[in-house]
């Protein structure tokens, strides 16, 4: 698979182009689906698959490249994976018809559903055949005098990125539940989950959000020693990210993509699953909008709007 890193101005994304299947090469070196035996639903170009930036794109791209290659083999269509700039960019891209498929964070899916009509297809399963979950958490150094959320008043708190379920909305929900106005805490958006963890590890903040996905990745990489820190708050389990399709996609594309995703081998999924704290990974499993009802309820209770992602 050829990897290319290009900025797509229309939706401000970093692109990964998987080019291993349908179409014959044209004079410019690209592919020409019309000259191939590609299915009708990909005759107009590649299937565009957006991924929210929940980890460093340089790490996500190879993992999603494996997933894209597997989809291409089964669909007979080129699949282009785009790690988007931020959560709102992905919603906007699907709403504007720039993405056919999108993996959204759970709260991101709420807005993708409401603003772009995104339809959930599958999410990530565990090796015992259950839908996977993860949790948000607030962490401090083990010798900190911060014992619970109430002790965060007047402290520096690193959050991941605006619109992130575990890196923004749920930690702020914890503050709200504890009756702590956000104005009483110095909230710093670090720019992502790994960056928030790094701020804590470097001692530049008093506390930081670290979800179980980032924790697992950092521990595997040897960049975070859990014994040196304490978790002062954890959320209820959060259903993992759904892979969705835009509502006006070709019905045959919807059907084919869902069937392919449900039947991918664990080997095609496990690299992505490792970033989502699904290890060992199982097959992808069907989900519906109902699966994410707690996140719709959360968004309503927090009074979130599209401007909050």
């Amino acid at each position: 698979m050829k990897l290319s890193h290009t900025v797509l101005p229309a939706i401000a994304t970093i692109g990964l182009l998987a080019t291993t299947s349908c179409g014959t090469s044209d004079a410019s070196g690209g592919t020409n689906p019309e000259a191939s035996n590609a299915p009708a639903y990909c005759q107009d170009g590649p299937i565009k698959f957006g991924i929210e930036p929940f980890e460093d794109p340089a790490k996500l791209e190879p993992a999603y490249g494996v997933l894209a290659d597997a989809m291409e083999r089964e669909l007979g269509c080129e699949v282009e994976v785009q790690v988007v700039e931020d959560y709102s960019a992905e919603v906007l891209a699907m709403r504007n018809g720039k993405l056919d498929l999108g993996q959204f964070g759970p709260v991101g899916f709420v807005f993708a559903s409401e603003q772009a009509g995104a339809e959930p297809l599958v999410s990530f399963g565990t090796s015992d055949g259950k839908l996977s979950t993860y949790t948000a958490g607030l962490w401090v150094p083990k010798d900190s005098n911060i014992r619970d959320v109430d002790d965060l008043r007047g402290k520096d708190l690193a959050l991941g990125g605006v619109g992130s379920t575990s890196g923004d909305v749920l930690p702020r929900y914890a503050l709200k539940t504890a009756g702590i106005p956000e104005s009483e805490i110095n909230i710093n958006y670090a720019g992502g989950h790994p960056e928030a963890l790094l701020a804590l590890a470097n001692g530049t903040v008093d506390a930081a959000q670290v979800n179980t996905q980032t924790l697992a990745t950092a521990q595997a990489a040897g960049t975070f020693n859990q014994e040196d820190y304490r978790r002062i708050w954890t959320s209820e389990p959060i259903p993992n990210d759904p892979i969705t399709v835009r509502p006006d996609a070709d019905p045959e594309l919807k059907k084919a993509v869902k069937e392919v995703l449900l039947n991918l081998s664990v080997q095609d999924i496990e690299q992505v699953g490792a970033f989502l704290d699904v290890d060992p990974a199982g097959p992808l499993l069907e989900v519906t909008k109902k699966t994410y009802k707690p996140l719709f309820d959360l968004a309503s209770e927090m009074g979130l709007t599209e401007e909050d992602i």
Side-chain angles (χ1 to χ4, degrees):
M1 180 179 65
K2 179 182 177 182
L3 304 184
S4 64
H5 303 262
T6 58
V7 176
L8 304 181
I11 53 175
T13 64
I14 300 173
L16 167 63
L17 184 59
T19 60
T20 56
S21 61
C22 73
T24 59
S25 296
D26 59 23
S28 64
T31 58
N32 180 10
E34 294 184 354
S36 74
N37 295 319
Y41 48 72
C42 60
Q43 289 288 324
D44 294 331
I47 297 171
K48 296 182 174 64
F49 184 5
I51 310 297
E52 83 275 11
F54 64 91
E55 180 55 86
D56 180 357
K59 295 180 180 179
L60 292 178
E61 287 169 354
Y64 280 94
V66 173
L67 180 59
D69 279 346
M71 292 176 66
E72 288 184 339
R73 288 195 303 270
E74 300 301 322
L75 288 169
C77 300
E78 185 180 345
V79 177
E80 179 182 297
V81 177
Q82 303 166 4
V83 182
V84 301
E85 183 178 27
D86 55 37
Y87 297 86
S88 62
E90 187 176 12
V91 175
L92 180 63
M94 181 167 279
R95 184 169 68 191
N96 291 342
K98 303 296 184 182
L99 292 177
D100 302 298
L101 308 175
Q103 179 182 318
F104 291 94
V107 167
F109 168 64
V110 171
F111 290 98
S113 173
E114 293 178 344
Q115 301 295 329
E119 300 174 4
L121 297 175
V122 300
S123 187
F124 296 83
T126 60
S127 59
D128 58 357
K130 298 178 181 179
L131 283 173
S132 63
T133 62
Y134 66 107
T135 58
L138 293 174
W139 290 73
V140 299
K142 69 176 182 180
D143 57 355
S144 171
N145 59 6
I146 300 173
R147 312 305 301 182
D148 54 32
V149 174
D150 196 60
D151 292 333
L152 290 172
R153 296 175 191 270
K155 304 297 185 181
D156 294 323
L157 171 64
L159 298 183
V162 174
S164 168
T165 305
S166 60
D168 181 25
V169 179
L170 280 169
R172 291 197 294 115
Y173 178 71
L175 300 179
K176 179 180 180 179
T177 302
I180 304 173
E182 292 181 19
S183 60
E184 294 186 10
I185 297 178
N186 182 21
I187 294 177
N188 302 277
Y189 284 100
H193 296 293
E195 290 81 3
L197 182 148
L198 185 62
L200 179 64
N202 288 343
T204 57
V205 294
D206 300 300
Q209 69 81 21
V210 181
N211 68 24
T212 50
Q213 296 172 341
T214 304
L215 178 63
T217 301
Q219 287 184 305
T223 58
F224 188 79
N225 184 357
Q226 186 173 337
E227 295 180 357
D228 294 334
Y229 302 89
R230 285 187 291 107
R231 183 164 47 197
I232 63 168
W233 170 84
T234 188
S235 71
E236 294 294 322
I238 309 162
N240 235 319
D241 299 6
I243 295 176
T244 71
V245 63
R246 62 183 174 90
D248 58 345
D250 186 319
E252 290 301 314
L253 173 64
K254 293 182 182 182
K255 180 180 177 181
V257 167
K258 185 174 184 178
E259 183 176 350
V260 164
L261 290 173
L262 287 172
N263 288 284
L264 289 180
S265 72
V266 171
Q267 289 73 28
D268 296 325
I269 303 163
E270 59 187 359
Q271 287 191 40
V272 171
F275 285 111
L276 298 168
D277 194 24
V278 187
D279 187 16
L284 294 169
L285 300 175
E286 183 176 6
V287 291
T288 67
K289 186 175 178 179
K290 185 177 179 180
T291 307
Y292 298 90
K293 184 180 184 303
L295 284 308
F296 283 84
D297 295 341
L298 174 65
S300 178
E301 185 172 350
M302 290 290 289
L304 301 180
T305 69
E306 190 176 5
E307 296 179 356
D308 294 306
I309 63 169

